Amino acid sequence: MTDLARTLERQLWDLFADYDAAYAQAAEQVGLSAPQACVLVALADGDRTMGDLATVLQCDASNVTQLVGRLESRELVVRTPDLADRRARRVAITPAGRRQHRAVLKAFTHPGERIGRLTETEQRRLTQLLGKLRD
Amino acid sequence: MTDLARTLERQLWDLFADYDAAYAQAAEQVGLSAPQACVLVALADGDRTMGDLATVLQCDASNVTQLVGRLESRELVVRTPDLADRRARRVAITPAGRRQHRAVLKAFTHPGERIGRLTETEQRRLTQLLGKLRD
DNA sequence: TATTGTTATACTCTATAACTATA
DNA sequence: TATAGTTATAGAGTATAACAATA
């Protein structure tokens, strides 16, 4: 491996460490854990079944049961029956949950600040490079 | 916020999600949790006191006590007295711990693969942009 | 008196296995 | 028989508060 590639690896590691910490802190400011905030994010664009949530969050269904249970006890989400499949339950974000979600987004200023340090040209270049990175 | 900035935020989020998952998977392949792997990384370049570890890992000292305790019970690290300060204890990685650490690095191919998709010129450009991002 | 580290405790996150209800 | 979700359980990560030993 080249020195350049090693430098890049280190930069990515450091960047991600900062990013993770900033996200956890943003959630915490709102009184949520990072996984709880992720649930609200996953529900922001519409309700989902429990199983769908497990897929999106990349975790076990039993974990979703507990995450949603804690959020429901705080009335940030609600579970309703699925009319098409009586085994399934749909989870939806409540108005209070939506307020919390917006608060997390507002507190998570980290990416916006960083991106704002780049000129528009640089941002375009970065988008292109990151796109190639993900493929 | 511009569309371009929004695209970048989304790209960073997706990239980081992949990165996190890949790191956790690399650690798991070796039989470690991600935090445990981070302890080994922190000790790879030399021993540290418990308090120093807490600073580096950005967590509470009582958490370090438990993380190190689990690793020590598996003989991946050892605690030795600090000769200069009898309150402190120095934690060092063992040969077995070093093997585990190397195995994690070997399994964590994700960043290297991604970086390898870029030409050297693109890598240089990305390094520069990421540097500006972090400041 | 302040600092280093541990212990006791509590809560969250997470998965596995066993179970219920429905398809 | 297979699938959606829950429950019971267990282990790991995390922090707070109280504590012991040392500075």
Side-chain angles (χ1 to χ4, degrees):
Chain A
M1 179 160 37
T2 66
D3 276 2
L4 180 55
R6 242 186 302 277
T7 299
L8 259 172
E9 285 209 11
R10 177 56 181 272
Q11 278 180 310
L12 287 172
W13 176 275
D14 291 343
L15 209 65
F16 293 179
D18 287 354
Y19 190 95
D20 270 359
Y23 188 71
Q25 200 188 340
E28 192 195 12
Q29 274 177 32
V30 179
L32 297 171
S33 67
Q36 286 170 348
C38 287
V39 173
L40 297 188
V41 169
L43 297 175
D45 289 333
D47 59 351
R48 293 178 182 277
T49 62
M50 296 293 286
D52 189 15
L53 260 183
T55 302
V56 170
L57 301 175
Q58 299 190 76
C59 70
D60 191 81
S62 65
N63 190 27
V64 175
T65 298
Q66 307 209 61
L67 283 170
V68 168
R70 281 179 215 111
L71 290 171
E72 192 171 37
S73 73
R74 293 167 62 180
E75 302 188 341
L76 303 178
V77 305
V78 278
R79 272 182 277 214
T80 56
D82 185 310
L83 303 178
D85 182 344
R86 278 162 49 195
R87 294 171 304 179
R89 305 179 77 180
R90 302 201 68 81
V91 191
I93 194 167
T94 63
R98 204 167 283 285
R99 282 193 292 275
Q100 293 283 77
H101 175 233
R102 275 195 292 261
V104 172
L105 293 185
K106 194 175 172 192
F108 189 43
T109 57
H110 187 86
E113 276 172 9
R114 301 306 171 107
I115 290 168
R117 294 176 187 172
L118 304 182
T119 66
E120 205 183 310
T121 305
E122 288 170 332
Q123 287 181 23
R124 241 192 311 273
R125 224 182 267 154
L126 183 57
T127 298
Q128 200 207 322
L129 290 170
L130 293 185
K132 199 164 175 189
L133 216 59
R134 283 204 83 211
D135 206 67
Chain B
M1 180 158 37
T2 65
D3 276 2
L4 180 55
R6 242 186 302 275
T7 299
L8 260 171
E9 284 209 12
R10 179 54 182 271
Q11 278 180 311
L12 287 173
W13 175 276
D14 291 343
L15 210 64
F16 294 179
D18 287 354
Y19 190 95
D20 271 0
Y23 188 71
Q25 201 188 340
E28 191 195 13
Q29 274 177 32
V30 178
L32 296 171
S33 66
Q36 287 170 347
C38 287
V39 173
L40 297 188
V41 169
L43 297 174
D45 290 333
D47 59 351
R48 294 178 182 277
T49 62
M50 296 292 287
D52 190 15
L53 261 182
T55 302
V56 170
L57 300 175
Q58 299 190 76
C59 69
D60 191 80
S62 65
N63 189 28
V64 174
T65 297
Q66 307 209 61
L67 283 169
V68 168
R70 280 179 216 113
L71 290 171
E72 193 171 37
S73 73
R74 293 166 63 179
E75 300 187 344
L76 303 178
V77 305
V78 279
R79 272 182 276 214
T80 57
D82 185 310
L83 302 179
D85 183 342
R86 279 161 51 193
R87 293 171 305 182
R89 306 180 75 180
R90 302 202 68 81
V91 191
I93 193 167
T94 63
R98 203 167 285 286
R99 283 194 292 277
Q100 293 283 78
H101 175 233
R102 274 196 293 262
V104 173
L105 293 185
K106 194 174 172 192
F108 189 43
T109 56
H110 186 86
E113 275 172 11
R114 302 306 170 107
I115 290 168
R117 294 176 186 172
L118 304 182
T119 66
E120 205 183 309
T121 303
E122 288 170 332
Q123 287 181 23
R124 241 192 310 274
R125 224 181 267 154
L126 182 57
T127 298
Q128 199 208 322
L129 290 171
L130 294 184
K132 199 163 174 190
L133 217 59
R134 282 203 83 212
D135 205 69

